[in-house]
Amino acid sequence: KWASIAASTQSIFERLCEALDMPELRRDERFADNRSRVEHREAIDEIVGAAISRLTLQELAERL
């Protein structure tokens, strides 16, 4: 199963960090704003993908 999460606004990105219990992402300069996240998209995709892969689709939906 696949999940697609668009966190292009700052508030949605912050909610995603909270939902995945990853507050450290908010403090990482590579992900400070949308432009930075786009520049470092491979890194953020890998980090978020790994976090999401530990959840079932139902668990993910409940968190978001």
Side-chain angles (χ1 to χ4, degrees):
K1 303 211 181 209
W2 292 89
S4 177
I5 302 170
S8 58
T9 67
Q10 193 64 29
S11 62
I12 295 173
F13 175 70
E14 291 173 6
R15 286 177 44 208
L16 177 64
C17 293
E18 289 177 31
L20 296 177
D21 296 322
M22 301 182 83
E24 67 277 6
L25 291 181
R26 294 176 65 183
R27 296 184 297 272
D28 191 316
E29 290 183 21
R30 296 174 297 168
F31 315 129
D33 54 36
N34 192 53
R35 176 175 279 157
S36 298
R37 290 190 291 276
V38 170
E39 286 180 28
H40 299 98
R41 64 186 165 275
E42 290 180 14
I44 192 83
D45 285 350
E46 185 176 320
I47 293 166
V48 171
I52 289 172
S53 72
R54 294 188 290 270
L55 304 170
T56 66
L57 192 55
Q58 181 65 36
E59 290 169 330
L60 180 60
E62 290 171 359
R63 289 175 179 227
L64 298 176

